Amino acid sequence: MINQVISANRLGDGIVVYLTANGDWSERIANAHVIDGQDRVEAALSQSCDAVKACLIIDPYSIDIDDSDGEIRPTRNRELIRALGPTVRLDIGKQATL
Amino acid sequence: MYLYDTIDQLLVDQRVEQFRDQVRRRMAGALSEDEFKPLRLMNGLYLQLHAYMLRVAIPYGTLSSDQMRKLVHIAEVYDKGYGHFTTRQNIQFNWPKLEQTPDILAELAAVQMHALQTSGSCIRNVTADQYAGAAAGEVADPRIVAEAIRQWSTLHPEFTFLPRKFKIAVTGSARDRAAVRVHDIGIVIKRNDQGEIGYEIIVGGGLGRTPMIGVKLREFLPERYLLSYLEAVLRVYNQAGRRDNKYKARIKILVHETGGEAFTSLVEAEWEQIRDSAVELPVGEYARIAEFFAPPPFEILSGDDGDYARDRLMDRDFANWARTNVASHKQPGYAIVNITLKPEGGIPGDATSEQMDAVATLAEQFSFSEIRVTHEQNLVLPYVRQADLYAVWQTLKRNGLATPNLGLISDIIACPGMDYCGLATARSIPLAQDISKRFADLEQQHHIGELKLKISGCINACGHHHVGHIGILGVDKRGEEFYQITLGGSADEAPSIGKIVGPAVAYDKVVDAIETLTDTYLAIRAGDERFVDTVRRAGVDPFKEALYADH
């Protein structure tokens, strides 16, 4: 099965965040907890519900990633753009401070 | 320009405080996202790919310099220093924080602006011809009607939960710059042989996944019946429009499934019931609104300005800009200035806060403090003396706003696409940038002539691709961006829906494909016919053969 990470948007500012191994939410996909197996994904999504109830994040969901070279990279264009920022404005979004 | 009365202002101020409380309750957990989402959408706040997005209404695309400066302030204080002008004549900010949104709305309310009805299944921001009040040959200023409709439709209790969103456009000119025939309701102001004003009413046009040209319900609706007739149309739609399938919920589906004649009969029957009881705009109120749109205090000038003619002779760049971006004015000695937000390699519709500020200042100095936003994602200074055009152009040039490409192939409509939008299936903006770079040679653009190129990043068609002379629709094919090309669309007074020319092409082949299409056009055009006229005369086959010759 393809590896996955959990992503959401932060409630207060809408910024894209990722679930880390210690249960925090990071703006960097590089800090995301990589999960394999449907059971673990379900458990992580369940864990995310606590952050939803705590009004930290909204709409958590799992995304497919490729980390075969050690770097976490979403497999879909949409998620790649969410992880970095608009491809037409490299000066804004997460990519601006990488 | 229209100025709020106490009712308008109270309504907007109260809405800000209502939303402030809703945001507070959401942040405190008293409202779930499911409960909050429809509330934030009713205030124009979406959640997009990277962050929230606030869509601010610019009624019928008319802005004052003060309002533009407030948008500058919001861009700089609450966002990332730019705004995106949309095909609904609105502006979008792509990075506002939820917690700060009530403050942004309060800032807007201070200059008589808001974000109401820029989302949701309600009557959206009414759009109008951007040359309103300035166009040569105009029958009447469409902003008077548009403002009346704005007041009638704002928080209208019966039409707040329609089957789907509802868009109305108005033009007062025979030349349609407002795309009225591809709106849920399009209104054309006309004058009959007796000199009376009336309205052609067109219903059931639209784009999206099922593009359709509207059906004419009335050739000439007497002026006094406008609101009751609109109410009848909305009532029929509200009762009979489909709510079981959001893809079939727009009024265009109802009109075309019912049939134009039958739908007209339903509206007429409804109207007979309400025409004498419905709230109609009192003559006095119409006159009160009309006063706000009285012509500005023009100087009385004899005709074309001599300096303007001399400046064009002396400066070729200025002459090129004037040729494309300056339009005739109804007032002798004045001109309409188009500011295209489509520089070579730029993002269609985007303007930095510095550019917006420069436009506000120019409007203050040279256009009676008035600015228009166009549905083609450009700006307009509607009342500029010909004698001032050279000074205006020089300032525009210093601010990167003097690209002389109005109506040419690089004057592209593009939706935000997958660079920002959560619904998009492909990117739009990078294609627009690459096409504008490929066709950067202005002489070549002029040689090609009028060509409306429109790009959408998904089937929702926010980039109006169906009515592009060349339309480009982004689709996802197994995770790769592909683009379907259509030819022969038009949103003007002779509307048409573009025809698909062949299989979708890969992202990196699109610009070459567009050049193949323009080369084919240049090879087969007859005389000085426009691109769209060549497609209409010759059909898509010559273009298809050229495009897929190697396949």
Side-chain angles (χ1 to χ4, degrees), chain B residues 287-502:
Chain B
R288 186 187 76 86
I289 294 173
E291 269 181 35
F292 289 106
F293 299 104
F298 291 121
E299 281 179 42
I300 304 303
L301 302 168
S302 57
D304 287 344
D305 182 76
D307 288 349
Y308 175 42
R310 187 205 61 204
D311 291 337
R312 280 181 290 169
L313 276 175
M314 301 294 287
D315 192 324
R316 194 175 168 202
D317 288 345
F318 174 63
N320 278 336
W321 174 79
R323 178 178 158 202
T324 51
N325 289 32
V326 174
S328 305
H329 205 285
K330 67 180 183 186
Q331 184 71 17
Y334 280 79
I336 301 167
V337 169
N338 287 278
I339 305 167
T340 64
L341 301 176
K342 320 288 173 59
E344 180 189 335
I347 297 175
D350 272 18
T352 65
S353 55
E354 292 85 359
Q355 289 175 320
M356 289 192 277
D357 192 50
V359 172
T361 302
L362 277 175
E364 218 160 49
Q365 292 175 330
F366 299 110
S367 186
F368 298 97
S369 296
E370 201 170 305
I371 302 149
R372 307 285 171 75
V373 181
T374 83
H375 87 272
E376 293 183 323
Q377 300 180 286
N378 295 320
L379 300 176
V380 166
L381 299 175
Y383 309 120
V384 179
R385 289 192 323 165
Q386 289 180 355
D388 294 327
L389 285 170
Y390 195 66
V392 168
W393 172 72
Q394 286 176 310
T395 303
L396 290 174
K397 204 172 160 191
R398 278 198 300 279
N399 287 279
L401 291 168
T403 310
N405 60 347
L406 188 79
L408 303 178
I409 191 169
S410 64
D411 182 14
I412 297 167
I413 288 182
C415 73
M418 203 196 276
D419 279 295
Y420 290 99
C421 177
L423 300 175
T425 45
R427 290 173 297 160
S428 304
I429 298 168
L431 278 184
Q433 292 175 304
D434 289 346
I435 291 167
S436 76
K437 286 179 196 162
R438 175 70 65 89
F439 290 91
D441 180 354
L442 275 166
E443 279 192 31
Q444 176 67 357
Q445 288 196 51
H446 279 287
H447 183 52
I448 294 167
E450 182 185 309
L451 203 162
K452 308 261 185 186
L453 197 152
K454 305 176 197 271
I455 310 174
S456 301
C458 79
I459 193 63
N460 291 308
C462 294
H464 296 187
H465 67 277
H466 296 299
V467 287
H469 297 175
I470 297 177
I472 302 176
L473 165 65
V475 294
D476 179 290
K477 275 194 174 182
R478 295 177 298 279
E480 299 291 323
E481 293 169 304
F482 274 72
Y483 295 85
Q484 199 175 71
I485 298 173
T486 51
L487 296 177
S490 178
D492 62 15
E493 60 280 3
S496 51
I497 303 297
K499 292 188 173 70
I500 296 171
V501 71

Side-chain angles (χ1 to χ4, degrees), chain A residues 13-14 58, chain B residues 19 33 37 40-49 51-56 90 92-94 96 98 101 115 117-121 124 165 167 421-423:
Chain A
D13 58 10
I58 49 178
Chain B
F19 190 57
E33 186 60 19
K37 185 177 176 182
R40 69 168 160 77
L41 287 174
M42 283 179 177
N43 290 283
L45 191 65
Y46 291 71
L47 183 63
Q48 297 272 48
L49 279 193
Y52 291 102
M53 179 273 280
L54 182 66
R55 183 180 294 156
V56 177
N90 292 324
Q92 295 180 175
F93 294 107
N94 286 305
L98 172 62
T101 306
Q117 295 180 203
T118 57
S119 175
S121 295
R124 300 291 188 89
K165 58 187 167 185
K167 299 177 178 179
C421 177
L423 300 175

